[in-house]
Structure formats: C-alpha cells, structure tokens
Amino acid sequence: MAALANEVGRLVAETGRPAVAQYVRATATDTVAALLGRTAVTVVPVGLNAVIRLPGTGFDDYLRALPGSRASRRRKIGYERRRFEAAGYHVGCEKLRDCWDELAPLLVQLQHKHGQSATTESTARLVVSQAEHLDGIVFTCRRDGDLLGFSLVYPWHDALHVRMAGFDYPRPAGAFEYFNLTTYLPIGHAYRHGLREVHLGVESYRAKLLRGAVLAPTITLLGPGAVNDPDGLRAAAWRRAATWENEIHDTTGAFTITGVFKEAGACPNG
C-alpha cells in the first residue's frame, strides 16, 4: 500500500488530478485513508463483495460448513459438479500468458448477455494489459481444443480473487459451467494451495449466498479535491447502501446491512 501511495502521490503532483482509491476492503480503510492524507479524504461505501471462507482442508469441509439447509445445498452442488464432469470437457488450469488471446471474445459475450456494452477490441486491451503484468490463472473448459468457457483468477495473500469469466454461447452444454468455473474449481484450487478465501466479486448475490458466500462491503476513498460536496456524497452513498438489503433477495437469512458493516468495523454514521 505504501508503494502504491507513493506512486499515486507522484502522479497527483505530476498531473494535478486528485487521487481516488476504489473497492478497498472496509478493514483497510484507515490504512488507505492515512496514506492519502486522512483529514481531507472522503470515505463512501460503494458495493458488496461476495466472499467464500474456507474451513478445514478440503471441499467436503466447505460443504459441511454451508449455512441453512445444508443437506439440500450439498445435493445441489454435488449434482452441478457431476453434470459438469459428465459433459466431457477437457478441464484445465492454464497460465494467463499462455491463453490470453482466446479470452476477450468470450468475455464480451458474457457482458452482452447481461446488458453491458463492450467491444472485443477494448476488452482485448484489458486482457493484454493483465497478461503483460500479472500472473493470472485461467480455469478452462475445452472441446476439441476450442475454448468454450473460462474464469480468470488471481491469488493474493491468503485469498483467490475471481476477476472475470466468459463463455462462447450457445456452445456449452448447459452443465452448470458458470458455477463450476467461477466457484467450484476455484474452491478446489484454493484448498490445494492453502488459501483461506475465494472472492467472487459483485452482483448475482443470491446465487453466491446459496453457495456459502458472505457479503463484505467495499469502500471508495476520494483524496483532497476529488469532490466538491463531500457531506452530500457521503449522505447519498449511505442512503444507497441502506437499500442493498432489499435488493439482494437473500433466502438464506445470512445478510443484514447492519451486520455487514459491524463485522467489517465500518460505521454507517462515519
């Protein structure tokens, strides 16, 4: 964080533009605020990150720890994994630098399926940049060598972060490829490498809660000069956060907005 803050400070001085830190864990907010100047920093909640915490030493321990109606969930997850295995894919764990050129078209298809605007060209630039600078891991499912689906993940400290996924619609067999590539294969990989969490990212919260995720707030910190009305921005952000509980449709009963920020050590009045 200190190295990043030094570089941000250099860019702020060079460009005259303010610093902004996005998607910071609530537990790291104080540290990042101090690095950005603390007294003039505006802190606002911006979203929720779904995190699966991994007890024990293997996938069976994950299944046993599922909240709520565990037996039915274990059966569902077992069924989804068996369907995927029976689909006859060649499933791989590849290095990003070896397959980056195949990812952008599939990622764009997923984005378009969910109403997002993206071009293959701009997405390819994003993937190339990551391939050049980061050691990503890509879980793949192929048939006859063709890539039909993937998820890109990054290990960091004691966690595995799922960064993006894509599919070549409608070629996959409908064998729960999404959850196997973005959740079950990463969980297995995390256990094998001694990692304790799998971060699934934002959105699709109900499906992630049903698979044992908890929701942790993410915070944006805006440095001096980044916002004209910090009090108004903070008030609007907390009003927006108060609506999350109604939008998530949590059938597990695991989520409350108060509980999320209490666990994270963040104060809705702060």
Side-chain angles (χ1 to χ4, degrees):
M1 286 185 183
L4 286 170
N6 288 336
E7 180 65 8
V8 168
R10 183 188 69 79
L11 291 170
V12 167
E14 182 180 293
T15 66
R17 302 175 67 179
V20 176
Q22 292 183 294
Y23 306 115
V24 176
R25 290 190 192 187
T27 52
T29 300
D30 286 346
T31 300
V32 176
L35 292 170
L36 294 182
R38 186 173 293 280
T39 56
V41 172
T42 302
V43 179
V44 294
V46 291
L48 295 164
N49 176 42
V51 181
I52 293 179
R53 294 166 181 161
L54 301 178
T57 58
F59 204 94
D60 288 342
D61 295 312
Y62 153 71
L63 291 175
R64 281 191 288 268
L66 288 170
S69 180
R70 288 175 291 181
S72 62
R73 292 198 204 181
R74 286 197 295 267
R75 287 194 297 269
K76 178 176 176 59
I77 291 171
Y79 173 72
E80 292 174 351
R81 295 176 75 200
R82 289 192 299 272
R83 281 282 304 275
F84 183 71
E85 292 170 1
Y89 295 122
H90 176 76
V91 178
C93 180
E94 306 179 30
K95 295 183 182 299
L96 175 60
R97 62 176 175 266
D98 295 333
C99 62
W100 63 266
D101 56 330
E102 300 177 86
L103 306 187
L106 277 65
L107 174 58
V108 168
Q109 289 187 55
L110 178 66
Q111 291 174 326
H112 288 177
K113 181 180 175 68
H114 292 281
Q116 301 175 23
S117 61
T119 66
T120 302
E121 292 75 17
S122 63
T123 304
R125 287 195 294 271
L126 172 66
V127 174
V128 168
S129 177
Q130 295 190 38
E132 288 176 345
H133 299 288
L134 301 172
D135 292 325
I137 298 168
V138 185
F139 296 109
T140 59
C141 66
R142 298 179 180 272
R143 181 168 285 128
D144 299 325
D146 293 340
L147 183 65
L148 302 187
F150 79 90
S151 69
L152 169 62
V153 306
Y154 291 101
W156 182 250
H157 292 286
D158 63 347
L160 194 65
H161 296 258
V162 181
R163 176 66 181 87
M164 60 180 67
F167 299 90
D168 189 8
Y169 298 106
R171 296 179 66 190
F176 302 99
E177 291 87 356
Y178 181 86
F179 290 114
N180 277 276
L181 287 169
T182 65
T183 307
Y184 307 144
L185 288 174
I187 287 173
H189 181 90
Y191 271 121
R192 289 192 296 274
H193 291 83
L195 306 177
R196 306 313 305 166
E197 295 180 345
V198 175
H199 289 239
L200 302 179
V202 300
E203 301 181 348
S204 303
Y205 294 121
R206 181 176 181 275
K208 294 169 181 176
L209 286 164
L210 288 170
R211 288 162 179 81
V214 296
L215 302 181
T218 58
I219 307 296
T220 286
L221 296 92
L222 300 101
V227 58
N228 293 327
D229 181 15
D231 291 338
L233 179 63
R234 278 192 292 265
W238 283 110
R239 285 196 299 270
R240 177 75 182 91
T243 69
W244 291 343
E245 191 168 353
N246 294 328
E247 296 175 4
I248 287 168
H249 307 297
D250 173 24
T251 59
T252 71
F255 175 77
T256 65
I257 190 67
T258 303
V260 164
F261 283 99
K262 182 181 295 184
E263 180 178 343
C267 175
N269 296 320

